[in-house]
Amino acid sequence: MTHIDDPVALETLEIDLFVEAMKRRYGYDFSGYSRASLTRRVRALVTQFGTGTVTALTDRLLHAPEQLKSAISGLSVPVSEFFRDPPVFQALRQSVLPLLASYPRINIWQAGCAHGEEVYSLAILLAEAGLSSRAHIYATDISTQALARAREGIFPLQDAPDAARRYLDSGGTRSFSDYYHARYDLLKLDERLIANVTFAEHNLVTDTVFCEAHLILCRNVLIYFDNALQDRVLGMFADSLVRGGFLCLGTRENLQFSRARERFQCLDADTQIYRLRSGG
Ligand SMILES: C[S@@+](CC[C@H](N)C(=O)[O-])C[C@H]1O[C@@H](n2cnc3c(N)ncnc32)[C@H](O)[C@@H]1O
């Protein structure tokens, strides 16, 4: 008979069982997530739920479906920033939006939108390019709690100075403060920015193509996935894009692990913006 003495190996077993339980009980499949970050987040959830062990956490979630939303929120990492990586937003302004302007309707899928900082940044870009009325953003995430926050558009006011600097670095010519109202220590983004935004739950692991898109932004999500899962998701993005459509990944992500890489042309490796080839 073999048995496990090593506490690390024991925790690995507990996390395997946790992943299996989430999949079989609720259909959430975390088996393709990078193990190191998943382990950190499961540990954080043990603390958040005060269960002491991963096994007790699994037991709690198996029997308390009402706590699932909070668990999914804890497992996802909804960290974002307005105009995160300004050169990316500058490239979208200068090289992508002018080409999208030729379409009568522009569909943008923003996958993994977290609390919405990127959605509002993109909406500001569209407004400044005069494209708001023709563009529709589908902002999706696995976490319904993150989506609810994104819909609200309320953020700490202390984020504003850095956001304003990144807005200018991205080529903004107005003032970031034109787009929000401050109250006490919070800011609320102008609701008109999300008039053409649909927020929806979508799981990149198990759900299929979301819409026919002219631009897909999926930044800082694939880094949490193993190579096989990255391949699945990137294939789905290629199938979702119109010919000549654009894909924008996080600056630390690329198409290396995707069989779909031949279908794309890399426009700029620094900003990780790709274009689906016409035969793609
Ligand atoms: C680090 S945030 C990235 C936010 C934003 N895109 C950015 O780059 O600033 C990662 C987001 O991916 C979401 N996510 C994780 N797994 C997902 C999945 N399987 N399907 C959809 N979204 C997922 C998380 O909930 C989280 O909001």
Side-chain angles (χ1 to χ4, degrees):
M1 191 175 77
T2 58
H3 57 271
I4 295 175
D5 287 329
D6 173 12
V8 176
L10 188 58
E11 188 190 49
T12 301
L13 170 61
E14 288 187 279
I15 292 175
D16 285 347
L17 295 173
F18 172 83
V19 168
E20 183 68 15
M22 293 294 280
K23 186 173 165 187
R24 288 180 51 186
R25 174 78 166 94
Y26 299 112
Y28 282 102
D29 183 0
F30 291 100
S31 60
Y33 281 55
S34 307
R35 201 56 190 229
S37 68
L38 182 66
T39 299
R40 278 195 300 277
R41 282 174 288 144
V42 174
R43 283 182 192 150
L45 220 50
V46 168
T47 307
Q48 183 192 325
F49 279 69
T51 56
T53 64
V54 178
T55 301
L57 173 71
T58 306
D59 185 54
R60 167 90 65 89
L61 289 173
L62 282 173
H63 298 285
E66 70 282 1
Q67 298 189 17
L68 181 68
K69 272 187 188 179
S70 167
I72 296 298
S73 162
L75 287 174
S76 66
V77 186
V79 179
S80 190
E81 281 176 351
F82 295 101
F83 296 94
R84 184 178 196 173
D85 307 314
V88 173
F89 284 89
Q90 190 168 39
L92 291 172
R93 271 184 205 279
Q94 291 175 350
S95 312
V96 175
L97 294 190
L99 294 173
L100 293 184
S102 61
Y103 290 100
R105 176 179 162 116
I106 305 161
N107 283 341
I108 301 177
W109 179 13
Q110 219 239 300
C113 69
H115 292 160
E117 291 90 335
E118 229 176 32
V119 182
Y120 291 97
S121 306
L122 202 53
I124 290 171
L125 250 53
L126 290 166
E128 294 184 355
L131 295 173
S132 298
S133 58
R134 271 194 280 152
H136 199 103
I137 302 178
Y138 297 90
T140 64
D141 202 281
I142 190 177
S143 164
T144 51
Q145 289 193 349
L147 288 164
R149 289 271 301 269
R151 231 177 254 118
E152 257 180 11
I154 295 174
F155 300 88
L157 188 58
Q158 68 185 31
D159 292 355
D162 283 346
R165 183 181 43 76
R166 287 192 301 270
Y167 162 78
L168 293 175
D169 289 349
S170 80
T173 51
R174 298 180 56 178
S175 164
F176 182 62
S177 61
D178 292 349
Y179 296 103
Y180 68 80
H181 305 283
R183 193 143 188 233
Y184 303 111
D185 53 355
L186 296 173
L187 64 83
K188 175 153 172 58
L189 271 298
D190 189 335
E191 281 184 4
R192 283 172 296 184
L193 289 170
I194 54 164
N196 287 342
V197 178
T198 301
F199 291 98
E201 188 181 349
H202 180 277
N203 186 344
L204 290 166
V205 180
T206 43
D207 294 332
T208 52
V209 167
F210 191 77
C211 63
E212 187 180 67
H214 301 91
L215 165 65
I216 297 176
L217 256 92
C218 182
R219 305 183 60 229
N220 307 299
V221 182
L222 297 179
I223 33 166
Y224 299 104
F225 296 171
D226 68 17
N227 296 353
L229 187 51
Q230 288 189 26
D231 177 50
R232 176 196 190 273
V233 173
L234 289 165
M236 178 167 65
F237 289 160
D239 292 341
S240 301
L241 283 170
V242 300
R243 285 180 182 186
F246 296 89
L247 172 66
C248 179
L249 302 178
T251 53
R252 288 175 294 154
E253 299 163 332
N254 57 52
L255 294 180
Q256 186 187 351
F257 300 113
S258 170
R259 283 169 290 175
R261 64 180 173 273
E262 304 302 333
R263 298 169 68 185
F264 287 95
Q265 170 199 359
C266 180
L267 294 190
D268 180 2
D270 288 338
T271 53
Q272 287 300 320
I273 298 180
Y274 297 84
R275 191 164 195 195
L276 192 70
R277 292 181 196 277
S278 47

